[in-house]
Amino acid sequence: MVRGYLYVVNTNENESMRVSEEELYNLTGHQFDYIENLPDEKSETLVKDLVQRFAAYGATTGTEEMDEGKISYAFLTQEIARKYFAPRLQTLKDMIPDMTVDDLIDNGYKIKQLVEDPYGDAVYWNGSFYTLDYFMRNVGNAKVYFGNVLYMN
């Protein structure tokens, strides 16, 4: 199973926006089995796509020139988090009305995944690993800078 992408994000503009796979080897076997640097072009495309997704939820986005080049950013808020999670809540509500105990047993993982996907994309936020869902719940109201992206498996 493919894990997803690891986005390097910081809320402190003075922190490095780049992390190499070698710096994350200590997480191998815990958060992922394999990690790999992505080419800059692929990394930039993935960041652009994620920032556009946040913009679609109403986030103010842009780029700033920094020591490490042009860095994308988004102002994330609790309202953006609500919009991020709203489709999942609707899916959960659609599942619940006729749910039986057997459905709960059979669909427990799917329900858990709707609440927080433990195997989806993740962030390396201010030097620590988190699921993207955890990050969205906990970033609060902040200007978030996006660095490079790594591939996890």
Side-chain angles (χ1 to χ4, degrees):
M1 172 176 26
V2 173
R3 169 69 200 253
Y5 295 107
L6 179 64
Y7 294 84
V8 176
V9 299
N10 283 296
T11 49
N12 181 345
E13 65 187 54
N14 297 316
E15 292 295 320
S16 175
M17 301 299 160
R18 295 197 60 82
V19 173
S20 70
E21 64 187 62
E22 292 83 10
E23 295 173 77
L24 301 173
Y25 284 157
N26 63 318
L27 299 175
T28 303
H30 301 283
Q31 303 297 346
F32 44 76
D33 293 323
Y34 172 80
I35 191 152
E36 171 184 346
N37 292 321
L38 290 174
D40 286 344
E41 184 177 293
K42 175 73 172 168
S43 185
E44 290 166 9
T45 298
L46 289 166
V47 165
K48 181 180 176 186
D49 291 347
L50 184 60
V51 169
Q52 285 177 343
R53 187 169 150 200
F54 292 141
Y57 297 144
T60 300
T61 63
T63 59
E64 283 185 19
E65 192 64 43
M66 302 176 110
D67 291 343
E68 296 171 281
K70 268 193 171 181
I71 301 294
S72 295
Y73 67 84
F75 283 100
L76 299 181
T77 64
Q78 286 301 305
E79 184 59 29
I80 303 302
R82 284 184 194 94
K83 291 176 181 176
Y84 173 86
F85 285 107
R88 294 190 201 182
L89 177 60
Q90 188 57 54
T91 300
L92 186 59
K93 285 179 177 181
D94 292 345
M95 290 174 70
I96 299 289
D98 301 318
M99 185 176 279
T100 66
V101 170
D102 289 335
D103 291 335
L104 180 63
I105 292 167
D106 294 340
N107 295 310
Y109 179 75
K110 183 172 180 155
I111 293 168
K112 180 180 177 180
Q113 209 171 14
L114 288 169
V115 174
E116 182 164 357
D117 185 356
Y119 297 108
D121 290 340
V123 297
Y124 195 68
W125 175 27
N126 295 341
S128 296
F129 183 98
Y130 301 99
T131 65
L132 183 57
D133 295 342
Y134 177 92
F135 171 74
M136 290 302 296
R137 281 190 181 89
N138 292 283
V139 69
N141 297 322
K143 185 175 187 180
V144 178
Y145 298 92
F146 295 86
N148 64 310
V149 181
L150 297 100
Y151 170 77
M152 302 178 293
N153 195 356

Short mmCIF file of all heavy atoms in Angstrom, two decimals, residues 43-109:
data_model
loop_
_atom_site.label_atom_id
_atom_site.label_comp_id
_atom_site.label_asym_id
_atom_site.label_seq_id
_atom_site.Cartn_x
_atom_site.Cartn_y
_atom_site.Cartn_z
N SER A 43 8.00 18.10 -6.57
CA SER A 43 7.72 18.66 -5.25
C SER A 43 6.95 19.97 -5.38
O SER A 43 5.94 20.21 -4.71
CB SER A 43 9.04 18.87 -4.50
OG SER A 43 8.82 19.30 -3.18
N GLU A 44 7.40 20.83 -6.28
CA GLU A 44 6.74 22.13 -6.49
C GLU A 44 5.32 21.96 -7.00
O GLU A 44 4.41 22.69 -6.58
CB GLU A 44 7.57 22.98 -7.46
CG GLU A 44 8.87 23.47 -6.85
CD GLU A 44 9.85 24.02 -7.88
OE1 GLU A 44 9.46 24.19 -9.07
OE2 GLU A 44 11.00 24.27 -7.50
N THR A 45 5.10 20.99 -7.88
CA THR A 45 3.76 20.72 -8.40
C THR A 45 2.83 20.24 -7.28
O THR A 45 1.68 20.69 -7.19
CB THR A 45 3.82 19.66 -9.52
OG1 THR A 45 4.60 20.19 -10.59
CG2 THR A 45 2.43 19.31 -10.04
N LEU A 46 3.31 19.36 -6.43
CA LEU A 46 2.49 18.86 -5.32
C LEU A 46 2.14 19.97 -4.33
O LEU A 46 1.01 20.06 -3.85
CB LEU A 46 3.20 17.71 -4.60
CG LEU A 46 3.28 16.41 -5.39
CD1 LEU A 46 4.29 15.45 -4.77
CD2 LEU A 46 1.90 15.77 -5.48
N VAL A 47 3.11 20.84 -4.03
CA VAL A 47 2.85 21.97 -3.14
C VAL A 47 1.81 22.89 -3.77
O VAL A 47 0.85 23.31 -3.11
CB VAL A 47 4.15 22.74 -2.80
CG1 VAL A 47 3.83 24.09 -2.18
CG2 VAL A 47 5.02 21.92 -1.87
N LYS A 48 1.98 23.19 -5.05
CA LYS A 48 1.03 24.06 -5.74
C LYS A 48 -0.37 23.47 -5.67
O LYS A 48 -1.34 24.20 -5.40
CB LYS A 48 1.47 24.24 -7.20
CG LYS A 48 0.58 25.14 -8.00
CD LYS A 48 1.06 25.28 -9.43
CE LYS A 48 0.10 26.12 -10.24
NZ LYS A 48 0.46 26.16 -11.65
N ASP A 49 -0.51 22.17 -5.89
CA ASP A 49 -1.81 21.51 -5.84
C ASP A 49 -2.44 21.61 -4.44
O ASP A 49 -3.63 21.89 -4.30
CB ASP A 49 -1.71 20.04 -6.26
CG ASP A 49 -1.40 19.87 -7.73
OD1 ASP A 49 -1.51 20.85 -8.51
OD2 ASP A 49 -1.04 18.74 -8.13
N LEU A 50 -1.63 21.38 -3.40
CA LEU A 50 -2.15 21.45 -2.03
C LEU A 50 -2.55 22.88 -1.68
O LEU A 50 -3.62 23.11 -1.10
CB LEU A 50 -1.13 20.91 -1.03
CG LEU A 50 -1.60 20.85 0.43
CD1 LEU A 50 -2.82 19.94 0.59
CD2 LEU A 50 -0.46 20.38 1.32
N VAL A 51 -1.73 23.84 -2.05
CA VAL A 51 -2.04 25.25 -1.76
C VAL A 51 -3.31 25.66 -2.51
O VAL A 51 -4.16 26.37 -1.95
CB VAL A 51 -0.83 26.15 -2.11
CG1 VAL A 51 -1.21 27.62 -2.09
CG2 VAL A 51 0.32 25.89 -1.14
N GLN A 52 -3.49 25.20 -3.74
CA GLN A 52 -4.71 25.50 -4.49
C GLN A 52 -5.93 24.87 -3.82
O GLN A 52 -7.02 25.46 -3.82
CB GLN A 52 -4.59 25.02 -5.93
CG GLN A 52 -3.70 25.89 -6.78
CD GLN A 52 -3.53 25.37 -8.20
OE1 GLN A 52 -3.81 24.22 -8.51
NE2 GLN A 52 -3.06 26.24 -9.08
N ARG A 53 -5.75 23.70 -3.26
CA ARG A 53 -6.84 23.05 -2.52
C ARG A 53 -7.26 23.91 -1.33
O ARG A 53 -8.45 24.13 -1.08
CB ARG A 53 -6.39 21.67 -2.06
CG ARG A 53 -7.43 20.82 -1.44
CD ARG A 53 -6.88 19.41 -1.30
NE ARG A 53 -7.45 18.73 -0.18
CZ ARG A 53 -6.92 17.68 0.41
NH1 ARG A 53 -5.77 17.19 -0.03
NH2 ARG A 53 -7.51 17.10 1.42
N PHE A 54 -6.26 24.43 -0.59
CA PHE A 54 -6.57 25.31 0.53
C PHE A 54 -7.22 26.60 0.04
O PHE A 54 -8.13 27.13 0.69
CB PHE A 54 -5.32 25.60 1.36
CG PHE A 54 -4.80 24.41 2.11
CD1 PHE A 54 -3.43 24.20 2.22
CD2 PHE A 54 -5.65 23.50 2.71
CE1 PHE A 54 -2.94 23.11 2.92
CE2 PHE A 54 -5.17 22.41 3.41
CZ PHE A 54 -3.80 22.21 3.51
N ALA A 55 -6.77 27.12 -1.08
CA ALA A 55 -7.35 28.34 -1.65
C ALA A 55 -8.82 28.11 -2.00
O ALA A 55 -9.67 28.99 -1.80
CB ALA A 55 -6.56 28.80 -2.87
N ALA A 56 -9.14 26.93 -2.50
CA ALA A 56 -10.52 26.60 -2.83
C ALA A 56 -11.41 26.60 -1.58
O ALA A 56 -12.62 26.84 -1.67
CB ALA A 56 -10.59 25.24 -3.53
N TYR A 57 -10.82 26.34 -0.42
CA TYR A 57 -11.54 26.40 0.85
C TYR A 57 -11.61 27.83 1.39
O TYR A 57 -12.20 28.06 2.44
CB TYR A 57 -10.88 25.52 1.91
CG TYR A 57 -10.84 24.05 1.61
CD1 TYR A 57 -9.74 23.29 1.98
CD2 TYR A 57 -11.89 23.39 0.99
CE1 TYR A 57 -9.69 21.92 1.74
CE2 TYR A 57 -11.85 22.03 0.73
CZ TYR A 57 -10.74 21.31 1.12
OH TYR A 57 -10.69 19.96 0.87
N GLY A 58 -10.96 28.77 0.71
CA GLY A 58 -11.01 30.15 1.13
C GLY A 58 -9.74 30.70 1.75
O GLY A 58 -9.71 31.84 2.21
N ALA A 59 -8.68 29.91 1.77
CA ALA A 59 -7.41 30.38 2.36
C ALA A 59 -6.76 31.43 1.47
O ALA A 59 -6.80 31.33 0.24
CB ALA A 59 -6.45 29.21 2.55
N THR A 60 -6.16 32.42 2.10
CA THR A 60 -5.32 33.37 1.38
C THR A 60 -3.99 32.68 1.13
O THR A 60 -3.39 32.11 2.05
CB THR A 60 -5.11 34.65 2.23
OG1 THR A 60 -6.39 35.23 2.49
CG2 THR A 60 -4.22 35.64 1.51
N THR A 61 -3.51 32.71 -0.10
CA THR A 61 -2.28 32.01 -0.46
C THR A 61 -1.38 32.93 -1.27
O THR A 61 -1.81 33.97 -1.77
CB THR A 61 -2.59 30.75 -1.29
OG1 THR A 61 -3.21 31.14 -2.52
CG2 THR A 61 -3.50 29.78 -0.54
N GLY A 62 -0.13 32.53 -1.40
CA GLY A 62 0.81 33.29 -2.21
C GLY A 62 2.20 32.70 -2.12
O GLY A 62 2.38 31.57 -1.67
N THR A 63 3.19 33.47 -2.54
CA THR A 63 4.59 33.06 -2.44
C THR A 63 5.39 34.22 -1.87
O THR A 63 5.01 35.38 -2.02
CB THR A 63 5.18 32.66 -3.81
OG1 THR A 63 5.07 33.76 -4.71
CG2 THR A 63 4.48 31.44 -4.39
N GLU A 64 6.48 33.88 -1.23
CA GLU A 64 7.42 34.87 -0.71
C GLU A 64 8.83 34.46 -1.10
O GLU A 64 9.15 33.27 -1.13
CB GLU A 64 7.36 34.95 0.83
CG GLU A 64 6.17 35.68 1.36
CD GLU A 64 6.22 35.84 2.86
OE1 GLU A 64 7.29 35.70 3.48
OE2 GLU A 64 5.15 36.10 3.44
N GLU A 65 9.64 35.43 -1.40
CA GLU A 65 11.05 35.18 -1.69
C GLU A 65 11.78 35.04 -0.36
O GLU A 65 11.71 35.92 0.50
CB GLU A 65 11.63 36.32 -2.51
CG GLU A 65 12.99 36.03 -3.10
CD GLU A 65 12.97 34.88 -4.11
OE1 GLU A 65 12.08 34.80 -4.95
OE2 GLU A 65 13.90 34.06 -4.04
N MET A 66 12.44 33.89 -0.17
CA MET A 66 13.18 33.63 1.06
C MET A 66 14.57 33.15 0.69
O MET A 66 14.89 33.00 -0.49
CB MET A 66 12.43 32.59 1.90
CG MET A 66 11.02 33.02 2.26
SD MET A 66 10.14 31.76 3.14
CE MET A 66 10.05 32.53 4.75
N ASP A 67 15.39 32.88 1.69
CA ASP A 67 16.75 32.41 1.45
C ASP A 67 16.78 31.17 0.57
O ASP A 67 17.71 30.98 -0.21
CB ASP A 67 17.46 32.10 2.78
CG ASP A 67 17.75 33.36 3.57
OD1 ASP A 67 17.70 34.46 2.98
OD2 ASP A 67 18.02 33.25 4.78
N GLU A 68 15.77 30.31 0.71
CA GLU A 68 15.74 29.05 -0.04
C GLU A 68 14.95 29.16 -1.35
O GLU A 68 14.58 28.16 -1.93
CB GLU A 68 15.14 27.96 0.85
CG GLU A 68 16.03 27.68 2.06
CD GLU A 68 15.40 26.78 3.08
OE1 GLU A 68 14.57 27.27 3.85
OE2 GLU A 68 15.74 25.59 3.09
N GLY A 69 14.69 30.39 -1.79
CA GLY A 69 13.96 30.62 -3.03
C GLY A 69 12.53 31.04 -2.76
O GLY A 69 12.18 31.44 -1.66
N LYS A 70 11.69 30.92 -3.79
CA LYS A 70 10.28 31.26 -3.64
C LYS A 70 9.58 30.17 -2.86
O LYS A 70 9.63 29.00 -3.24
CB LYS A 70 9.62 31.41 -5.01
CG LYS A 70 9.64 32.80 -5.54
CD LYS A 70 8.71 32.93 -6.73
CE LYS A 70 8.62 34.41 -7.07
NZ LYS A 70 7.75 34.66 -8.18
N ILE A 71 8.92 30.57 -1.78
CA ILE A 71 8.24 29.63 -0.90
C ILE A 71 6.75 29.94 -0.91
O ILE A 71 6.34 31.09 -0.71
CB ILE A 71 8.79 29.71 0.54
CG1 ILE A 71 10.30 29.41 0.57
CG2 ILE A 71 8.02 28.80 1.48
CD1 ILE A 71 10.68 27.99 0.19
N SER A 72 5.93 28.91 -1.13
CA SER A 72 4.48 29.08 -1.09
C SER A 72 4.00 29.13 0.35
O SER A 72 4.58 28.51 1.24
CB SER A 72 3.79 27.91 -1.80
OG SER A 72 4.11 27.93 -3.17
N TYR A 73 2.90 29.84 0.56
CA TYR A 73 2.31 29.90 1.89
C TYR A 73 0.79 29.91 1.77
O TYR A 73 0.23 30.20 0.70
CB TYR A 73 2.79 31.12 2.67
CG TYR A 73 2.31 32.43 2.12
CD1 TYR A 73 1.04 32.94 2.44
CD2 TYR A 73 3.11 33.18 1.25
CE1 TYR A 73 0.60 34.14 1.90
CE2 TYR A 73 2.67 34.38 0.72
CZ TYR A 73 1.41 34.85 1.05
OH TYR A 73 0.96 36.03 0.52
N ALA A 74 0.14 29.60 2.88
CA ALA A 74 -1.31 29.71 3.00
C ALA A 74 -1.63 30.13 4.42
O ALA A 74 -0.98 29.68 5.37
CB ALA A 74 -1.99 28.38 2.68
N PHE A 75 -2.60 31.01 4.57
CA PHE A 75 -3.12 31.36 5.89
C PHE A 75 -4.23 30.34 6.19
O PHE A 75 -5.27 30.35 5.54
CB PHE A 75 -3.70 32.78 5.90
CG PHE A 75 -2.67 33.85 5.95
CD1 PHE A 75 -2.30 34.53 4.80
CD2 PHE A 75 -2.05 34.18 7.15
CE1 PHE A 75 -1.34 35.52 4.84
CE2 PHE A 75 -1.09 35.18 7.19
CZ PHE A 75 -0.74 35.86 6.04
N LEU A 76 -3.98 29.48 7.15
CA LEU A 76 -4.97 28.47 7.52
C LEU A 76 -5.70 28.91 8.78
O LEU A 76 -5.11 29.51 9.68
CB LEU A 76 -4.29 27.12 7.74
CG LEU A 76 -3.57 26.55 6.51
CD1 LEU A 76 -2.96 25.20 6.81
CD2 LEU A 76 -4.53 26.44 5.32
N THR A 77 -6.99 28.62 8.82
CA THR A 77 -7.84 29.00 9.93
C THR A 77 -8.72 27.82 10.33
O THR A 77 -8.78 26.81 9.61
CB THR A 77 -8.75 30.18 9.54
OG1 THR A 77 -9.63 29.73 8.49
CG2 THR A 77 -7.95 31.39 9.06
N GLN A 78 -9.45 27.98 11.42
CA GLN A 78 -10.40 26.95 11.81
C GLN A 78 -11.50 26.81 10.77
O GLN A 78 -12.02 25.71 10.56
CB GLN A 78 -10.99 27.26 13.19
CG GLN A 78 -10.01 27.01 14.32
CD GLN A 78 -9.54 25.57 14.34
OE1 GLN A 78 -10.33 24.63 14.38
NE2 GLN A 78 -8.23 25.37 14.28
N GLU A 79 -11.86 27.89 10.10
CA GLU A 79 -12.88 27.81 9.04
C GLU A 79 -12.36 26.95 7.87
O GLU A 79 -13.12 26.17 7.29
CB GLU A 79 -13.26 29.21 8.55
CG GLU A 79 -14.38 29.22 7.54
CD GLU A 79 -15.67 28.59 8.03
OE1 GLU A 79 -15.95 28.62 9.25
OE2 GLU A 79 -16.41 28.05 7.18
N ILE A 80 -11.11 27.08 7.54
CA ILE A 80 -10.52 26.24 6.47
C ILE A 80 -10.56 24.79 6.92
O ILE A 80 -10.89 23.89 6.13
CB ILE A 80 -9.07 26.69 6.16
CG1 ILE A 80 -9.00 28.16 5.75
CG2 ILE A 80 -8.43 25.78 5.10
CD1 ILE A 80 -9.83 28.56 4.58
N ALA A 81 -10.23 24.52 8.18
CA ALA A 81 -10.28 23.14 8.71
C ALA A 81 -11.70 22.59 8.62
O ALA A 81 -11.89 21.42 8.25
CB ALA A 81 -9.77 23.11 10.14
N ARG A 82 -12.69 23.40 8.94
CA ARG A 82 -14.09 22.95 8.84
C ARG A 82 -14.42 22.53 7.41
O ARG A 82 -15.06 21.50 7.19
CB ARG A 82 -15.04 24.05 9.29
CG ARG A 82 -15.10 24.25 10.78
CD ARG A 82 -16.15 25.30 11.16
NE ARG A 82 -15.95 25.70 12.52
CZ ARG A 82 -15.24 26.76 12.91
NH1 ARG A 82 -14.67 27.55 12.02
NH2 ARG A 82 -15.10 27.05 14.19
N LYS A 83 -13.99 23.32 6.45
CA LYS A 83 -14.26 23.00 5.05
C LYS A 83 -13.48 21.76 4.61
O LYS A 83 -13.97 20.97 3.79
CB LYS A 83 -13.93 24.19 4.16
CG LYS A 83 -14.90 25.35 4.38
CD LYS A 83 -14.51 26.57 3.58
CE LYS A 83 -15.49 27.71 3.84
NZ LYS A 83 -15.10 28.94 3.15
N TYR A 84 -12.29 21.58 5.14
CA TYR A 84 -11.47 20.41 4.83
C TYR A 84 -12.17 19.12 5.30
O TYR A 84 -12.17 18.12 4.59
CB TYR A 84 -10.11 20.58 5.51
CG TYR A 84 -9.18 19.40 5.45
CD1 TYR A 84 -8.34 19.20 4.36
CD2 TYR A 84 -9.11 18.48 6.50
CE1 TYR A 84 -7.47 18.12 4.31
CE2 TYR A 84 -8.24 17.41 6.46
CZ TYR A 84 -7.43 17.23 5.36
OH TYR A 84 -6.57 16.16 5.32
N PHE A 85 -12.75 19.18 6.50
CA PHE A 85 -13.37 17.98 7.08
C PHE A 85 -14.84 17.80 6.72
O PHE A 85 -15.40 16.71 6.92
CB PHE A 85 -13.21 17.98 8.60
CG PHE A 85 -11.83 17.65 9.06
CD1 PHE A 85 -11.00 18.63 9.58
CD2 PHE A 85 -11.33 16.36 8.97
CE1 PHE A 85 -9.72 18.34 10.00
CE2 PHE A 85 -10.05 16.05 9.37
CZ PHE A 85 -9.24 17.04 9.90
N ALA A 86 -15.51 18.82 6.21
CA ALA A 86 -16.95 18.75 5.95
C ALA A 86 -17.37 17.57 5.06
O ALA A 86 -18.35 16.89 5.39
CB ALA A 86 -17.44 20.07 5.35
N PRO A 87 -16.68 17.28 3.95
CA PRO A 87 -17.10 16.13 3.14
C PRO A 87 -17.03 14.81 3.90
O PRO A 87 -17.87 13.92 3.71
CB PRO A 87 -16.13 16.14 1.95
CG PRO A 87 -15.61 17.53 1.89
CD PRO A 87 -15.59 18.02 3.30
N ARG A 88 -16.05 14.68 4.77
CA ARG A 88 -15.94 13.45 5.56
C ARG A 88 -17.08 13.32 6.55
O ARG A 88 -17.59 12.24 6.77
CB ARG A 88 -14.61 13.42 6.30
CG ARG A 88 -13.43 13.32 5.39
CD ARG A 88 -12.23 13.07 6.23
NE ARG A 88 -11.03 13.42 5.53
CZ ARG A 88 -9.85 13.27 6.02
NH1 ARG A 88 -9.69 12.80 7.24
NH2 ARG A 88 -8.78 13.60 5.33
N LEU A 89 -17.45 14.44 7.16
CA LEU A 89 -18.57 14.41 8.09
C LEU A 89 -19.84 13.99 7.36
O LEU A 89 -20.61 13.18 7.88
CB LEU A 89 -18.76 15.78 8.75
CG LEU A 89 -19.97 15.90 9.69
CD1 LEU A 89 -19.87 14.89 10.84
CD2 LEU A 89 -20.10 17.31 10.21
N GLN A 90 -20.03 14.52 6.16
CA GLN A 90 -21.22 14.14 5.40
C GLN A 90 -21.19 12.65 5.08
O GLN A 90 -22.22 11.97 5.19
CB GLN A 90 -21.34 14.96 4.12
CG GLN A 90 -22.65 14.74 3.40
CD GLN A 90 -23.85 15.03 4.28
OE1 GLN A 90 -23.96 16.12 4.85
NE2 GLN A 90 -24.75 14.08 4.42
N THR A 91 -20.06 12.13 4.70
CA THR A 91 -19.94 10.69 4.43
C THR A 91 -20.27 9.89 5.68
O THR A 91 -21.00 8.88 5.61
CB THR A 91 -18.51 10.34 3.94
OG1 THR A 91 -18.25 11.08 2.73
CG2 THR A 91 -18.35 8.86 3.67
N LEU A 92 -19.77 10.32 6.82
CA LEU A 92 -20.05 9.64 8.08
C LEU A 92 -21.54 9.70 8.40
O LEU A 92 -22.14 8.69 8.79
CB LEU A 92 -19.23 10.27 9.21
CG LEU A 92 -19.28 9.60 10.57
CD1 LEU A 92 -18.80 8.15 10.49
CD2 LEU A 92 -18.44 10.39 11.57
N LYS A 93 -22.16 10.87 8.24
CA LYS A 93 -23.60 11.00 8.49
C LYS A 93 -24.40 10.09 7.57
O LYS A 93 -25.42 9.53 7.98
CB LYS A 93 -24.03 12.45 8.29
CG LYS A 93 -23.62 13.37 9.40
CD LYS A 93 -24.08 14.80 9.11
CE LYS A 93 -23.76 15.75 10.24
NZ LYS A 93 -24.23 17.13 9.94
N ASP A 94 -23.96 9.96 6.33
CA ASP A 94 -24.65 9.08 5.38
C ASP A 94 -24.54 7.62 5.78
O ASP A 94 -25.44 6.82 5.50
CB ASP A 94 -24.10 9.27 3.96
CG ASP A 94 -24.43 10.64 3.37
OD1 ASP A 94 -25.30 11.34 3.93
OD2 ASP A 94 -23.78 11.02 2.37
N MET A 95 -23.45 7.26 6.44
CA MET A 95 -23.23 5.88 6.87
C MET A 95 -24.05 5.52 8.12
O MET A 95 -24.47 4.38 8.29
CB MET A 95 -21.75 5.64 7.20
CG MET A 95 -20.81 5.64 6.04
SD MET A 95 -19.09 5.53 6.56
CE MET A 95 -19.01 3.85 7.16
N ILE A 96 -24.26 6.47 9.00
CA ILE A 96 -24.80 6.21 10.33
C ILE A 96 -26.28 5.84 10.39
O ILE A 96 -26.64 4.94 11.15
CB ILE A 96 -24.53 7.43 11.26
CG1 ILE A 96 -23.04 7.67 11.40
CG2 ILE A 96 -25.21 7.30 12.60
CD1 ILE A 96 -22.29 6.67 12.21
N PRO A 97 -27.19 6.49 9.64
CA PRO A 97 -28.62 6.28 9.90
C PRO A 97 -29.09 4.83 9.96
O PRO A 97 -29.89 4.47 10.81
CB PRO A 97 -29.31 7.02 8.75
CG PRO A 97 -28.33 8.03 8.31
CD PRO A 97 -26.98 7.43 8.56
N ASP A 98 -28.60 4.00 9.08
CA ASP A 98 -29.05 2.61 9.04
C ASP A 98 -27.98 1.65 9.55
O ASP A 98 -28.08 0.44 9.31
CB ASP A 98 -29.44 2.24 7.61
CG ASP A 98 -30.56 3.12 7.08
OD1 ASP A 98 -31.50 3.39 7.85
OD2 ASP A 98 -30.47 3.56 5.91
N MET A 99 -26.99 2.17 10.24
CA MET A 99 -25.86 1.33 10.67
C MET A 99 -26.29 0.33 11.74
O MET A 99 -27.03 0.66 12.67
CB MET A 99 -24.72 2.19 11.19
CG MET A 99 -23.48 1.38 11.54
SD MET A 99 -22.11 2.42 12.03
CE MET A 99 -21.52 2.91 10.42
N THR A 100 -25.81 -0.88 11.58
CA THR A 100 -26.02 -1.93 12.57
C THR A 100 -24.70 -2.20 13.28
O THR A 100 -23.64 -1.69 12.86
CB THR A 100 -26.49 -3.23 11.89
OG1 THR A 100 -25.42 -3.73 11.06
CG2 THR A 100 -27.75 -3.01 11.05
N VAL A 101 -24.74 -3.02 14.30
CA VAL A 101 -23.50 -3.40 15.00
C VAL A 101 -22.56 -4.10 14.02
O VAL A 101 -21.36 -3.86 14.03
CB VAL A 101 -23.81 -4.29 16.23
CG1 VAL A 101 -22.53 -4.87 16.80
CG2 VAL A 101 -24.57 -3.51 17.28
N ASP A 102 -23.12 -4.96 13.17
CA ASP A 102 -22.28 -5.66 12.19
C ASP A 102 -21.62 -4.67 11.22
O ASP A 102 -20.46 -4.83 10.84
CB ASP A 102 -23.10 -6.68 11.40
CG ASP A 102 -23.48 -7.88 12.25
OD1 ASP A 102 -22.77 -8.17 13.23
OD2 ASP A 102 -24.51 -8.51 11.92
N ASP A 103 -22.37 -3.62 10.83
CA ASP A 103 -21.78 -2.58 9.97
C ASP A 103 -20.64 -1.88 10.69
O ASP A 103 -19.61 -1.58 10.08
CB ASP A 103 -22.83 -1.54 9.58
CG ASP A 103 -23.90 -2.09 8.64
OD1 ASP A 103 -23.61 -3.08 7.92
OD2 ASP A 103 -25.01 -1.54 8.65
N LEU A 104 -20.83 -1.60 11.97
CA LEU A 104 -19.78 -0.95 12.74
C LEU A 104 -18.53 -1.83 12.81
O LEU A 104 -17.41 -1.35 12.64
CB LEU A 104 -20.27 -0.64 14.16
CG LEU A 104 -19.26 0.05 15.07
CD1 LEU A 104 -18.88 1.42 14.52
CD2 LEU A 104 -19.81 0.18 16.47
N ILE A 105 -18.74 -3.11 12.98
CA ILE A 105 -17.61 -4.05 13.01
C ILE A 105 -16.92 -4.09 11.65
O ILE A 105 -15.70 -4.00 11.56
CB ILE A 105 -18.09 -5.46 13.43
CG1 ILE A 105 -18.54 -5.44 14.90
CG2 ILE A 105 -16.99 -6.50 13.21
CD1 ILE A 105 -19.31 -6.67 15.32
N ASP A 106 -17.73 -4.21 10.60
CA ASP A 106 -17.17 -4.34 9.25
C ASP A 106 -16.56 -3.04 8.73
O ASP A 106 -15.65 -3.08 7.91
CB ASP A 106 -18.25 -4.80 8.27
CG ASP A 106 -18.73 -6.21 8.56
OD1 ASP A 106 -18.01 -6.97 9.26
OD2 ASP A 106 -19.84 -6.56 8.11
N ASN A 107 -17.06 -1.90 9.18
CA ASN A 107 -16.62 -0.61 8.65
C ASN A 107 -15.83 0.22 9.64
O ASN A 107 -15.63 1.42 9.42
CB ASN A 107 -17.83 0.20 8.16
CG ASN A 107 -18.51 -0.46 6.98
OD1 ASN A 107 -17.86 -0.83 6.02
ND2 ASN A 107 -19.81 -0.64 7.08
N GLY A 108 -15.39 -0.37 10.73
CA GLY A 108 -14.65 0.37 11.75
C GLY A 108 -13.46 1.12 11.20
O GLY A 108 -13.22 2.28 11.54
N TYR A 109 -12.70 0.46 10.33
CA TYR A 109 -11.52 1.12 9.77
C TYR A 109 -11.92 2.31 8.91
O TYR A 109 -11.30 3.36 8.98
CB TYR A 109 -10.67 0.13 8.97
CG TYR A 109 -9.46 0.81 8.37
CD1 TYR A 109 -8.38 1.14 9.17
CD2 TYR A 109 -9.43 1.16 7.03
CE1 TYR A 109 -7.28 1.81 8.65
CE2 TYR A 109 -8.33 1.82 6.50
CZ TYR A 109 -7.26 2.14 7.31
OH TYR A 109 -6.18 2.81 6.80
#
